[in-house]
Amino acid sequence: MGRMGPSFSRSKFSFPLILLGFLLMVVHSSPVPSPESIFLTTLRNTAIWTFIASLGITLVLIGAPTYYRIRPMQLISGWMIIGIAWMLYLDYSAPLTWLEFFVPLAIVPGILLPIVIFAYAVQFAERSMPILEEAPELNQKERDFVTSIISRNLRRSEAATSGEQINDRPGEMLSKSSSRIDRNSGGESNES
Amino acid sequence: MSPELTEIVLLLFGGIAISSFWLLINLVVTYHPYHNPAVPFFSVFISGAIAIFITAELSGNISTIEATRIALTNGGSGLLQILPFAYVVFLFFLLKASFRRRPQDPLLALLDEE
């Protein structure tokens, strides 16, 4: 959710939205009818230990040496919180018999089946689509435009290695380049 | 059919129903002009409808809406109940991440030298 769309602006809303959705499911002013009440009971039983477990997992991920730097405090406290989450699960949420423990696994093939059907359906739909005709070649104007972009980027990377500074903003670059193309239309760009 | 077996079958079809709903919602909200969703949409719709129909049959004489509610509730509850299994698998990878030693990157060593 935090990765969807223009994530720099939209990801800010992901956590509050998740929290809002969760609260709307858990907090009710009136009694919830069956069968939704069964789901709600399961959710309340699961929420406590999963919340603590996710906190521990986050701390372990921060502390683990994924990017060459280990943070022992976060790592140790994360594993301790994970241990507490397990204790909470075993004390309050764990099923009483082995049958109760393993029966929910029946849902796994149920979840996978529509995904497999969906994958085959997408494959079928993609294969049955007619192949598009080859795109026409670039004309001279378009070639000049592409060449100018590439040469400008090459100049910039060279300037970056030699320590030079190039002050052109993207918008200006585009307008400069299009005006140059208009002037040079039909001929080859000087920058190439 | 024994109650345990009925529960297993209900969970299986609950899983199909919730997964189908999830895929259908995903197909609808990600629609764009270059999308070709007809075949995936109908195939997933049929699988979800079959799951709801069988749930209705197993649960006695109930309406389609009620069967949908039961199937989705079973699916949601089942998903929450298998979280400990997913948690164990996740912890295994977390343990590996916590104790692994990454080989020294030659490029990073070059940076240090500079």
Side-chain angles (χ1 to χ4, degrees):
Chain A
M1 200 171 180
R3 295 265 179 181
M4 280 170 69
S7 57
F8 289 114
S9 53
R10 208 180 289 176
S11 61
K12 281 181 270 182
F13 301 106
S14 62
F15 183 70
L17 267 176
I18 291 167
L19 197 68
L20 180 70
F22 180 74
L23 287 175
L24 283 175
M25 276 202 288
V26 177
V27 182
H28 291 272
S29 54
S30 54
V32 181
S34 186
E36 284 83 1
S37 59
I38 303 165
F39 171 73
L40 206 63
T41 313
T42 319
L43 185 67
R44 281 179 182 151
N45 286 340
T46 319
I48 303 158
W49 73 266
T50 38
F51 176 74
I52 294 168
S54 46
L55 193 74
I57 287 170
T58 312
L59 277 173
V60 171
L61 285 176
I62 291 169
T66 313
Y67 297 109
Y68 297 97
R69 190 179 158 199
I70 190 162
R71 296 179 177 89
M73 273 300 288
Q74 285 93 328
L75 194 64
I76 293 164
S77 54
W79 277 110
M80 281 166 72
I81 293 171
I82 285 173
I84 293 167
W86 268 118
M87 279 165 61
L88 281 172
Y89 168 70
L90 293 173
D91 278 353
Y92 298 106
S93 311
L96 300 172
T97 60
W98 285 107
L99 193 69
E100 278 180 37
F101 192 68
F102 286 109
V103 160
L105 283 177
I107 200 175
V108 177
I111 290 169
L112 292 178
L113 190 69
I115 295 173
V116 172
I117 292 171
F118 177 73
Y120 276 109
V122 169
Q123 193 185 35
F124 174 77
E126 291 289 328
R127 282 188 180 168
S128 59
M129 275 167 77
I131 297 168
L132 295 173
E133 281 179 22
E134 209 172 294
E137 275 189 20
L138 298 180
N139 60 29
Q140 195 58 45
K141 202 174 169 181
E142 289 163 338
R143 277 185 199 179
D144 288 345
F145 183 51
V146 173
T147 312
S148 72
I149 291 171
I150 295 170
S151 63
R152 197 180 306 117
N153 283 328
L154 283 173
R155 264 197 299 126
R156 181 173 292 136
S157 64
E158 280 167 11
T161 47
S162 64
E164 262 181 66
Q165 280 194 340
I166 294 177
N167 294 322
D168 50 358
R169 275 177 258 159
E172 286 175 10
M173 270 162 48
L174 196 66
S175 57
K176 275 182 200 169
S177 132
S178 52
S179 61
R180 196 175 302 133
I181 287 166
D182 286 334
R183 271 188 272 122
N184 297 340
S185 58
E188 218 169 21
S189 168
N190 294 332
E191 288 177 357
S192 61
Chain B
M1 204 184 280
S2 69
E4 287 86 10
L5 196 62
T6 311
E7 197 186 336
I8 290 171
V9 176
L10 280 175
L11 272 170
L12 177 81
F13 288 107
I16 294 175
I18 204 161
S19 190
S20 304
F21 261 75
W22 173 64
L23 288 168
L24 287 176
I25 292 168
N26 184 267
L27 273 173
V28 171
V29 298
T30 57
Y31 179 77
H32 58 83
Y34 303 101
H35 210 177
N36 190 16
V39 180
F41 187 90
F42 283 108
S43 53
V44 173
F45 180 80
I46 288 165
S47 75
I50 290 170
I52 288 165
F53 175 73
I54 294 172
T55 306
E57 284 294 308
L58 287 170
S59 307
N61 199 11
I62 55 168
S63 64
T64 316
I65 295 290
E66 217 161 323
T68 310
R69 284 170 61 198
I70 291 172
L72 292 179
T73 310
N74 281 337
S77 306
L79 264 178
L80 292 175
Q81 283 167 357
I82 60 163
L83 274 182
F85 294 97
Y87 190 40
V88 169
V89 175
F90 198 82
L91 287 188
F92 169 71
F93 289 108
L94 216 57
L95 264 173
K96 273 178 77 176
S98 299
F99 295 110
R100 77 174 154 196
R101 282 179 179 276
R102 293 183 74 105
Q104 199 53 250
D105 192 333
L107 290 173
L108 285 176
L110 274 175
L111 273 176
D112 289 339
E113 280 172 22
E114 280 177 11

